Amino acid sequence: MMASESGISELPLRFKLVNAVPAALVVTTAGALILGGAPQRPPSFDVLVARAQAANWFGAVGAIALLAIGALLLEPFELNSIRVLEGYWSTAGPLGRLARFGRWLHERRRSRLQFLAKMHPELVEEGIDDEIQTRWPQAWPLLPTALGNRLRAFEEQAGSAYQLDTIELWPRLYYALPESALGTVNGYRTQLDVASRLSLSLLTSALIAAGLLFAHGWWLTLPAVLVLSSWLAYRAALAAAGNYCVAVRAVIDVYRLKLLQAMQLKMPANLGEEQVINEALSRVWRGDPAADLTYAPAEPGRVTPS
């Protein structure tokens, strides 16, 4: 998946939303249950309050420090943790078997919709083909999760009309975008990252709670609620991914030629010429020294691209 690009002014907000809040959720869940008496006995609110009061301000400082350290340690794993939700898993062991099952399941779902579209032409007019193309990639292998397939489908299709590879294009186009476009794209990306990390944090909290409360009967309702909350956060991540993909696709449609201007390349006269330029540009990005690009004539007095 395309990595997030954020301005310096946005880093504090992203740090709080994407790292501090999920880290606080996991640490608070585990800490509250342990301070309440788990796993030796069912958690008690009275025991939790008594132990918290006994810790006094030393405990508060320690808890804040633990949350801050947890958030800092999670920062480098932001992208990797989201890739877990996308389905980039190991091909060996239990995860490998789960990945194969997930791919098989999505293949069946896609095949079913394709069959319905073929047998019922009226469904094509209702947008079933668009749904298939939005939910699953057509040329690339399927991933075991809905989020991964939706993002991979977007990466496959967003720049295809212009002969552009979205993954190669986006890190470069990003620096040519105006602030208004950057703000919109970053906003949707932050929504996606927050929902994804919350989903993982809620699932992690559920596993921790299940381990601490395994022997305490109805207390297992708590991990069940956390699992349900994780699923809802995952659904929110899917919705945010849809918004993010629409925003980036629109940015590519509107601003792709601005990148050619910033690189001082000769501007195309039509779509066919643009596709030829983009094919050569893509080869350059892949390290092909034989690719042929034509630069625009230098303008008198021009130092930097507009």
Side-chain angles (χ1 to χ4, degrees), residues 41-105:
R41 58 187 177 185
S44 167
F45 181 75
D46 292 337
V47 173
L48 172 62
V49 172
R51 290 181 174 178
Q53 290 176 340
N56 208 337
W57 65 272
F58 292 104
V61 171
I64 293 173
L66 185 60
L67 291 178
I69 292 172
L72 287 170
L73 290 177
L74 286 174
E75 175 74 16
F77 299 101
E78 176 184 338
L79 179 59
N80 288 337
S81 63
I82 294 174
R83 288 176 69 86
V84 171
L85 283 186
E86 293 184 58
Y88 292 96
W89 304 337
S90 170
T91 58
L95 278 181
R97 290 190 289 271
L98 185 60
R100 288 191 290 273
F101 174 76
R103 286 191 291 268
W104 172 82
L105 187 62

Side-chain angles (χ1 to χ4, degrees), residues 33 41-45 209-210 213-224:
L33 290 175
R41 58 187 177 185
S44 167
F45 181 75
L213 302 172
F214 181 76
H216 302 306
W218 66 270
W219 271 99
L220 289 176
T221 305
L222 176 59

Side-chain angles (χ1 to χ4, degrees), residues 287-303:
D288 183 0
D292 184 19
L293 289 172
T294 302
Y295 294 98
E299 298 179 8
R302 182 178 179 180
V303 180

Side-chain angles (χ1 to χ4, degrees), residues 164-165 168-170 172 259 263 278 280-288:
L164 286 167
D165 185 302
E168 294 177 341
L169 168 68
W170 182 245
R172 297 164 175 88
L259 177 62
M263 298 180 68
N278 290 339
L281 192 57
S282 296
R283 291 199 299 272
V284 169
W285 290 341
R286 298 186 191 109
D288 183 0

